[in-house]
Amino acid sequence: MASMRSIKSRRNSIQSTQQITKAMKLVSTVKLQRAKTRAEQSKAYFTCMYETIRSMLAKTGEIQHPYVQGNDSKKKAVIVITSNRGLAGGYNSNIIKLITKTEMMQEDLKIYTIGKKGREGLSKYSFEMAEDYSDLIEDPTYVEAMQVANTVLKEYENGEVGEIYLAYTAFKNTVSHIPTMLKLLPVEAGDEKKQEKAAQAPMGFEQDESEVLALLIPKYVTSLIFGGMVEAVASENGARMQAMDSATSNAEEMIDKLSLQYNRARQGSITQELTEIIAGASAIS
């Protein structure tokens, strides 16, 4: 059995760690409340924008526009949203797995990272690492999302990439976070049922349809990137709160076990001392 000193030292170390995990849990809980509210407020716009564009295209005929038809480039731009810090359970690793296990060829992917953990994880593989926007994930704004959107849209328009994807963690609720890969460009119309229904109500454009799309699609891409960033922040704090709660509970269990070991070792030491005293007294008498 380990000595009382080593048991006590280990217990004190775990207690110190437990204090840190408790503090991190409290911080994540506070951050989660703000991020959750923000994600819930933006989700309706995020979803509506996505469905509206798809529905609009389903109600139109064949539109001759690069945002819809695409280009000949085999390269695919993937905007990967993770966090700048760890200790969030499987939050970051799940997104990395989503990219590494995709059916798309690795040599065709061009990675744009928002979050240091995603860049660190994916740089170990044979991906082409492009721009890094890790600073933007701390407190994302629509203007910052526009910065990312402008970069990928410019490369798409220049024919450097043929498709644009967004990889982020969708926030469902406090305990449920879903790694998601969303195709942004070329924009695809809704499903067949929506298309059949839409055929009865054709979409009309006040201006030339190409001009409308040239104005609307960049806003659509920016909105989806911003929505992904907001949901990712909420998911990160939810995942970290859960991870720190589990770590705190595990530490409590370890402390209880070590306390029991310490008490048994102390009892054994006292029993041994009493035995030696009694034996010494018997020898004297």
Side-chain angles (χ1 to χ4, degrees):
M1 182 179 290
S3 66
M4 288 190 294
R5 180 177 295 178
S6 63
I7 295 173
K8 187 176 181 180
S9 176
R10 188 180 177 196
R11 185 179 64 180
N12 290 341
S13 176
I14 294 173
Q15 286 174 334
S16 298
T17 302
Q18 185 186 45
Q19 292 176 352
I20 295 172
T21 58
K22 278 184 178 179
M24 293 183 68
K25 176 189 173 183
L26 291 174
V27 171
S28 296
T29 302
V30 174
K31 287 184 176 181
L32 174 62
Q33 297 307 313
R34 178 174 177 270
K36 179 182 177 183
T37 300
R38 198 178 181 193
E40 290 173 345
Q41 290 175 344
S42 65
K43 192 173 185 66
Y45 177 75
F46 178 95
T47 304
C48 183
M49 174 63 81
Y50 181 70
E51 294 298 335
T52 298
I53 296 297
R54 285 162 55 87
S55 175
M56 183 185 75
L57 292 176
K59 294 178 182 179
T60 59
E62 293 295 328
I63 300 179
Q64 302 298 320
H65 197 282
Y67 287 151
V68 178
Q69 292 182 320
N71 56 51
D72 297 330
S73 176
K74 294 182 179 180
K75 283 286 184 180
K76 299 173 177 61
V78 184
I79 303 166
V80 181
I81 304 178
T82 56
S83 69
N84 286 337
R85 293 177 294 275
L87 299 177
Y91 170 76
N92 292 307
S93 60
N94 287 337
I95 287 291
I96 293 172
K97 288 177 183 178
L98 184 67
I99 304 300
T100 56
K101 295 185 178 181
T102 181
E103 295 180 356
M104 294 183 286
M105 300 295 291
Q106 289 190 6
E107 58 269 22
D108 292 339
L109 301 186
K110 193 172 182 179
I111 307 297
Y112 297 78
T113 51
I114 304 177
K116 294 179 181 178
K117 291 300 178 181
R119 192 168 190 83
E120 291 172 1
L122 292 174
S123 60
K124 300 176 183 178
Y125 299 88
S126 57
F127 291 105
E128 180 182 349
M129 308 302 293
E131 300 291 333
D132 180 29
Y133 300 95
S134 295
D135 293 340
L136 306 186
I137 197 60
E138 295 301 328
D139 188 17
T141 64
Y142 187 86
V143 174
E144 292 172 335
M146 188 184 300
Q147 179 183 344
V148 182
N150 289 341
T151 300
V152 293
L153 282 173
K154 184 177 180 180
E155 296 207 354
Y156 181 85
E157 292 166 1
N158 293 337
E160 296 178 35
V161 297
E163 296 177 3
I164 300 176
Y165 292 85
L166 177 67
Y168 72 103
T169 305
F171 181 81
K172 187 175 181 180
N173 52 52
T174 303
V175 297
S176 181
H177 321 114
I178 307 168
T180 304
M181 178 85 82
L182 188 65
K183 186 176 182 180
L184 304 185
L185 287 183
V187 180
E188 296 178 345
D191 57 37
E192 294 180 359
K193 290 183 179 180
K194 288 185 179 180
Q195 291 180 26
E196 292 174 0
K197 184 178 180 180
Q200 302 173 5
M203 176 69 67
F205 294 90
E206 288 295 330
Q207 299 178 354
D208 179 73
E209 57 189 23
S210 295
E211 293 181 8
V212 174
L213 288 177
L215 178 65
L216 191 58
I217 297 302
K219 295 183 182 295
Y220 152 83
V221 172
T222 301
S223 299
L224 294 186
I225 293 174
F226 175 65
M229 292 169 71
V230 170
E231 289 204 31
V233 171
S235 298
E236 175 195 349
N237 285 293
R240 183 169 290 109
M241 185 188 73
Q242 286 182 272
M244 293 302 99
D245 182 60
S246 296
T248 301
S249 299
N250 291 338
E252 187 66 37
E253 292 180 5
M254 293 178 68
I255 290 170
D256 290 342
K257 290 180 180 179
L258 289 171
S259 296
L260 181 60
Q261 291 180 18
Y262 178 82
N263 290 335
R264 285 177 176 173
R266 184 168 178 269
Q267 183 179 12
S269 176
I270 293 172
T271 301
Q272 184 177 356
E273 290 179 3
L274 288 174
T275 302
E276 291 174 353
I277 292 172
I278 294 170
S282 299
I284 294 173
S285 60

